[in-house]
Amino acid sequence: MAQEPLVEKRVFQLPRFTTQSGRTLKDVRIGWESYGRLNADKSNAVLICHFFSGTSHAAGRYAASDAEAGYWDAIIGPGKAIDTDRWFVLSSDTLVNLNTGDPRVTTTGPASLDPETGRAYGPDFPVVTIADFVAVQKALVESLGITRLAMVAGPSMGSLQTYEWAVSHPEMVGKAMAVIGAAEADAQLIGWLDVWSAPIRLDPNWNGGAYYDGAPPEAGLARALTAMTLQANHGDWVNATFGRRPAVEGTDPASALSARFQVQSVLDNAGELRARLCDANHFLYLAKANQLFVAGGRSLEDAMQRLRAPLLVISHPRDLVFPEAMVLRTVEAARAAGRVVTHLNIEGKRGHLDGVMSMKQAEGAIRAFLEG
């Protein structure tokens, strides 16, 4: 097995980009990275799309001293399921990426400066969709001379982008691997995304999204991240990890309203730390893009009729974000349309997050699907 090289982060720029809503943005920028080499006829490209709170960092390390590798490093790299000795793998930050405080993230969104005014867009930034994310990715892919992707894949919000690619650009997608996601957002997901977003809107510092000249709504964002994190983890993991232990040993949570359980304290602390690297408006814009999602802007049945790529659908039967019934609606619609579909369940106590953290168990199926 070849030694894994370090990853280089790059920036892709579009002088002008027109959103699905008809707004034209200038100087649109996203970060991207790649693993492996593009072959002479540019036929070995695999695109990885990231999840809601993720970035382009799907595999490898930026520096040898990095404590952790990219989120799908278990399946992307030399000799792994998506073998970078054979495949050229690329991944990009989405528009309105959540992680605006990460120095390695480049993304255009409401926190960006509007070239026309020199001030942050704030709430004047247009509503963007999963289709907009894909349109920018398509421009990046085409800038590299790639006309067809061997596979598009991604977990959670990355699976939404995968379906959008396969339905809107069927001629460019050889295969599609959708992990812990579905081809449309149903009413339950729309409602939960609103629950995640509510603490931001209730934070007085949010100010309708116009907060870039003052204090950001960090408290509301922290609580939003806490709600998101809790739902992304199944109760099996939460109960096994925290139980009913108090936040402070020897302090009974019944002793005062301020006395807490460990699970409350740990989740809140994690949310507060994460909020320092994120932007509240970007969270809201991401939530809106997910709520609006139907692959190709069509009904589920029409979308599956347009899809041509063979599908590998990987899900968790106890996923609380994309419940099994929601995933199965997509699988059944694809099969009813005569599509080639392989459906695989993964295991683990995390639930939804097992589609990010426990993918090694699916490496045999992924390798066979990609290379078959």
Side-chain angles (χ1 to χ4, degrees):
M1 185 182 296
Q3 183 177 2
E4 296 188 42
L6 298 180
V7 178
E8 178 187 357
K9 191 67 179 279
R10 306 173 192 177
V11 175
F12 173 68
Q13 182 171 327
L14 280 172
R16 298 174 69 86
F17 174 72
T18 302
T19 68
Q20 295 288 306
S21 65
R23 277 278 299 278
T24 297
L25 300 170
K26 295 181 179 179
D27 190 23
V28 168
R29 292 158 53 86
I30 58 167
W32 71 283
E33 56 197 73
S34 63
Y35 328 96
R37 292 181 180 275
L38 190 60
N39 61 14
D41 63 3
K42 302 185 178 183
S43 63
N44 68 332
V46 172
L47 176 67
I48 304 298
C49 307
H50 68 70
F51 51 97
F52 188 99
S53 61
T55 72
S56 65
H57 196 37
R61 287 174 167 79
Y62 295 122
S65 58
D66 286 357
E68 295 184 4
Y71 64 86
W72 261 6
D73 190 73
I75 58 170
I76 300 171
K80 298 177 184 179
I82 304 174
D83 187 352
T84 52
D85 289 334
R86 175 175 179 181
W87 304 103
F88 173 73
V89 181
L90 67 155
S91 177
S92 69
D93 300 327
T94 61
L95 290 173
V96 301
N97 188 282
L98 182 60
N99 304 279
T100 56
D102 183 336
R104 286 198 171 98
V105 168
T106 301
T107 182
T108 294
S112 304
L113 297 183
D114 180 350
E116 299 288 339
T117 66
R119 299 171 62 85
Y121 283 101
D124 187 50
F125 196 78
V127 169
V128 287
T129 65
I130 299 296
D132 288 317
F133 298 176
V134 167
V136 175
Q137 290 166 356
K138 182 173 180 287
L140 165 62
V141 167
E142 291 175 337
S143 76
L144 301 174
I146 299 166
T147 58
R148 183 172 171 83
L149 294 160
M151 184 172 76
V152 180
S156 194
M157 189 181 81
S159 72
L160 274 56
Q161 295 166 74
T162 297
Y163 281 119
E164 181 64 31
W165 262 104
V167 171
S168 292
H169 309 290
E171 74 289 349
M172 290 187 68
V173 180
K175 295 179 180 178
M177 184 175 82
V179 180
I180 53 172
E184 68 173 356
D186 67 4
Q188 183 180 17
L189 180 60
I190 292 168
W192 272 116
L193 286 161
D194 196 53
V195 171
W196 292 4
S197 302
I200 294 172
R201 298 182 185 278
L202 293 173
D203 188 320
N205 287 341
W206 181 58
N207 190 33
Y211 56 81
Y212 292 103
D213 291 330
E218 198 167 288
L221 176 57
R223 296 299 295 181
L225 290 164
T226 297
M228 178 189 73
T229 300
L230 184 60
Q231 193 179 8
N233 285 285
H234 193 272
D236 288 349
W237 179 82
V238 177
N239 289 325
T241 303
F242 302 107
R244 293 183 54 81
R245 289 187 290 277
V248 178
E249 188 175 354
T251 300
D252 186 349
S255 64
L257 282 175
S258 59
R260 316 186 78 204
F261 288 94
Q262 185 184 59
V263 63
Q264 295 173 287
S265 177
V266 170
L267 286 174
D268 280 357
N269 288 341
E272 289 165 7
L273 287 171
R274 186 69 189 276
R276 297 171 191 171
L277 294 175
C278 299
D279 180 81
N281 277 339
H282 282 234
F283 189 107
L284 296 178
Y285 275 77
L286 281 171
K288 187 70 164 181
N290 281 257
Q291 288 174 319
L292 293 171
F293 178 69
V294 178
R298 307 160 183 268
S299 70
L300 179 59
E301 292 72 22
D302 286 348
M304 294 303 101
Q305 288 289 342
R306 183 169 169 78
L307 182 145
R308 292 291 177 267
L311 276 175
L312 174 58
V313 177
I314 299 177
S315 61
H316 194 298
R318 289 176 294 169
D319 189 331
L320 300 179
V321 180
F322 287 91
E324 185 174 38
M326 192 193 311
V327 175
L328 288 177
R329 282 197 294 274
T330 296
V331 170
E332 290 162 3
R335 287 176 173 160
R339 305 301 146 224
V340 177
V341 184
T342 302
H343 181 208
L344 172 69
N345 277 330
I346 55 173
E347 300 176 349
K349 291 186 176 181
R350 291 273 190 171
H352 185 68
L353 276 183
D354 280 311
V356 177
M357 303 173 70
S358 306
M359 286 295 286
K360 187 171 177 59
Q361 64 187 281
E363 63 181 343
I366 296 168
R367 187 190 304 274
F369 176 71
L370 179 55
E371 299 183 358

